[in-house]
Amino acid sequence: MTEKVTTLYEAIGGDPAVRALTHRFYELMDKLPEASNVRAVHPPSLHGSEEKFYEYMSGYLGGPPLYTDKRGHPRLRSRHFVAEIGPVESDEWLLCFRRALDETISSQALRDLIWVPVERLAYHMQNKAPDTKEQP
């Protein structure tokens, strides 16, 4: 007997759901004043970033490995060294992702399954120490 395994990609609705999630994520990043620091580390046009994130999330969630087919191993941390990512930027990134996730994925259980490793990944991407300003 063979059991069919359902991936997160399938469970959330496949390609249309991943497209909606990634599109909403970058829409929020571009519009929310409270995401200005993370927006600033991206290029003026978010189109390329959105497409790469869509490709990455497709494979990450168990769908087609679009990113690796086109670009090879993600090497996420090393590919992001060109951008200074500290606690502020990762928190703002997570704010946008959380809102996009909540707005596009209806199941709380599926959102929870996606959120935990994504949150861990966002903190792993930090490559800049927190700003420490002396208090008078």
Side-chain angles (χ1 to χ4, degrees):
M1 177 159 79
T2 305
E3 288 185 41
K4 178 168 176 6
V5 175
T6 300
T7 64
L8 280 170
Y9 179 85
E10 294 167 325
I12 66 170
D15 185 73
V18 176
R19 279 265 182 218
L21 171 64
T22 56
H23 179 71
R24 184 63 180 144
F25 170 77
Y26 279 102
E27 208 172 47
L28 289 164
M29 183 188 295
D30 204 29
K31 293 179 180 173
L32 292 176
E34 59 268 40
S36 63
N37 293 293
V38 73
R39 177 61 180 94
V41 301
H42 286 78
S45 170
L46 292 174
H47 179 74
S49 299
E50 181 179 331
E51 186 64 18
K52 288 174 189 170
F53 191 49
Y54 155 75
E55 293 167 356
Y56 174 77
M57 288 302 290
S58 291
Y60 180 79
L61 295 170
L66 304 173
Y67 188 93
T68 55
D69 285 353
K70 284 185 182 178
R71 304 169 205 290
H73 190 282
R75 299 180 1 253
L76 291 178
R77 193 159 156 79
S78 64
R79 288 184 196 253
H80 284 81
F81 278 144
V82 298
E84 289 191 359
I85 302 169
V88 170
E89 291 79 12
S90 60
D91 285 348
E92 290 178 6
W93 189 96
L94 286 167
L95 169 76
C96 295
F97 190 85
R98 179 91 241 172
R99 286 193 189 176
L101 190 63
D102 289 347
E103 291 177 18
T104 60
I105 308 299
S106 60
S107 166
Q108 180 65 50
L110 293 174
R111 291 193 310 262
D112 291 346
L113 286 172
I114 294 167
W115 176 255
V116 172
V118 166
E119 182 182 38
R120 194 170 37 246
L121 178 63
Y123 290 126
H124 174 71
M125 299 302 290
Q126 291 180 15
N127 58 25
K128 172 180 108 171
D131 288 334
T132 54
K133 296 181 180 166
E134 290 186 34
Q135 300 296 322

